[in-house]
Amino acid sequence: MSQADPLAAKPPAPVPGFLELFFAFTKLGITSIGGGVNGMMHTEFVTNRHWFTDEQFLSGLALSQSLPGVNVANLALWLGYQCRGVAGAMVALPAVLLPPAVTIILVGDVVLRLSAISAIGTALAGLAVAATGLSLSVGYLAMRYACTDLAAVVLFLATFIGATAFHVSALAVVAVLAPIGIAIGFLKGRRP
C-alpha cells in the first residue's frame, strides 16, 4: 500500500467571500507570533481551507519576500488579490495588520514589563522558538519544491552557506545569486 505524496496538488476550494476573507486574515493577524505567520498562513489557507495549493502559496511567498516592504503585508496582499482581485487585497491587508497593531498599542507596554518576570520571560522565549519552527517548516516545504535539480541544490547551498557561515548580507546574496537562478530557469524553460 503506497502512501500519498504530501506535495500532491489538491483541488482548490471555492472562492471565499469578502467576509470570510476578512475573518481569516483577522484571525491570523491576532493569533500569529513572530516569523511564524508564514507557517500559520500556509496551514490556514493551504491545509485547512484549501484556497491554494502548496505551489501557489510558495509562489506568492517567494514573490512577497523578494519585494520591498513587510513580508506578511506583501503576502496578505498577494493572497487576497488571488482570491478576490484588488478588493480582496484591500480586505486582506488591513485585516492582517490592524489586530496586531491595536494589540501592541493596548498591551505592548504591559507585556514588556511582565517579561522581566522569569516565568513570563521564559514563556515568551518559548513562543519565539515555536514561531521559528513554523518558519522553518515553510522553508523546508519551499526547499522541497525548489530543489528539483543539481543547479537548484547548488544555488540553495550557496545561499545557505553565504548567509549562515559567512554572514553575507541578504541583499548581496540576492544580488549575486538571483540573476543566476533566473538565467538557469530561463534556459530550462527554453529546452524542448
Side-chain angles (χ1 to χ4, degrees), residues 159 162-164 166-176:
T159 302
T164 58
F166 297 108
H167 306 288
V168 178
S169 76
L171 186 58
V173 169
V174 169
V176 172

Side-chain angles (χ1 to χ4, degrees), residues 37-154:
V37 70
N38 292 338
M40 293 180 75
M41 282 184 167
H42 177 269
T43 300
E44 185 70 23
F45 298 135
V46 177
T47 306
N48 296 347
R49 296 179 185 263
H50 307 289
W51 289 352
F52 300 95
T53 64
D54 281 327
E55 190 172 13
Q56 291 169 327
F57 180 84
L58 292 172
S59 293
L61 180 62
L63 178 65
S64 70
Q65 291 181 336
S66 64
L67 294 174
V70 179
N71 292 344
V72 171
N74 292 345
L75 186 56
L77 282 168
W78 186 86
L79 293 171
Y81 181 80
Q82 294 303 309
C83 286
R84 301 293 300 204
V86 173
M90 301 285 64
V91 166
L93 182 62
V96 81
L97 293 180
L98 289 179
V102 169
T103 302
I104 288 169
I105 290 168
L106 295 177
V107 300
D109 188 52
V110 174
V111 171
L112 182 62
R113 290 175 193 212
L114 290 175
S115 68
I117 299 170
S118 178
I120 294 175
T122 301
L124 291 173
L127 286 173
V129 170
T132 302
L134 284 170
S135 292
L136 288 173
S137 71
V138 173
Y140 174 73
L141 181 66
M143 182 194 67
R144 284 182 61 189
Y145 267 102
C147 292
T148 57
D149 57 26
L150 182 61
V153 171
V154 169

